[in-house]
Amino acid sequence: MTTEHTNTQAQQEIIIEGNTRAGKPFRPSDWVDRMCSTYATFGEDRKLRYSPYLKPRVVNGVRCLAVDLKLKTVNPEGYAQLMHFAEENQLNVLDANGNSIPVPH
């Protein structure tokens, strides 16, 4: 994988931090796991499969949710619900460079 490909790939995701814009930890602390479970499906083998568009991450010691922006195309309603959740709970959202950004719509 080339650096250019990696950079392009990174720019296609946002990070929803487990901290509010006021800098307070978001509760419940397992919100990332709950979100990943909400978007999971059962495979043919009847095992739970997490969405490839949502990934738990730890950034600077904070539990976060990495959102692949392809989710907006694949599941527009789910993407809108996730962005509404981030906005409603005043969660900090980061771009691929780690800069705080407004919640995308």
Side-chain angles (χ1 to χ4, degrees):
M1 186 178 302
T2 66
T3 304
E4 183 178 319
H5 180 72
T6 303
N7 288 343
T8 302
Q9 194 173 32
Q11 291 170 356
Q12 294 181 6
E13 75 175 19
I14 57 171
I15 303 291
I16 302 175
E17 279 191 320
N19 283 337
T20 64
R21 290 184 202 137
K24 304 226 185 264
F26 180 69
R27 299 285 180 239
S29 59
D30 67 344
W31 73 273
V32 172
D33 303 315
R34 291 180 188 205
M35 282 296 160
C36 287
S37 294
T38 298
Y39 290 79
T41 57
F42 284 96
E44 290 181 20
D45 58 1
R46 295 189 284 182
K47 290 186 180 179
L48 195 61
R49 304 217 185 269
Y50 286 122
S51 168
Y53 305 106
L54 301 177
K55 303 262 191 276
R57 291 251 172 89
V58 176
V59 178
N60 298 324
V62 177
R63 292 217 2 112
C64 301
L65 182 64
V67 180
D68 186 321
L69 294 177
K70 291 178 190 166
L71 180 65
K72 188 173 185 175
T73 303
V74 175
N75 182 350
E77 184 178 311
Y79 177 84
Q81 288 174 343
L82 192 56
M83 294 307 112
H84 177 75
F85 173 83
E87 184 71 46
E88 185 175 78
N89 291 291
Q90 297 290 298
L91 296 177
N92 196 34
V93 178
L94 306 175
D95 66 13
N97 298 318
N99 300 311
S100 187
I101 60 170
V103 175
H105 294 283

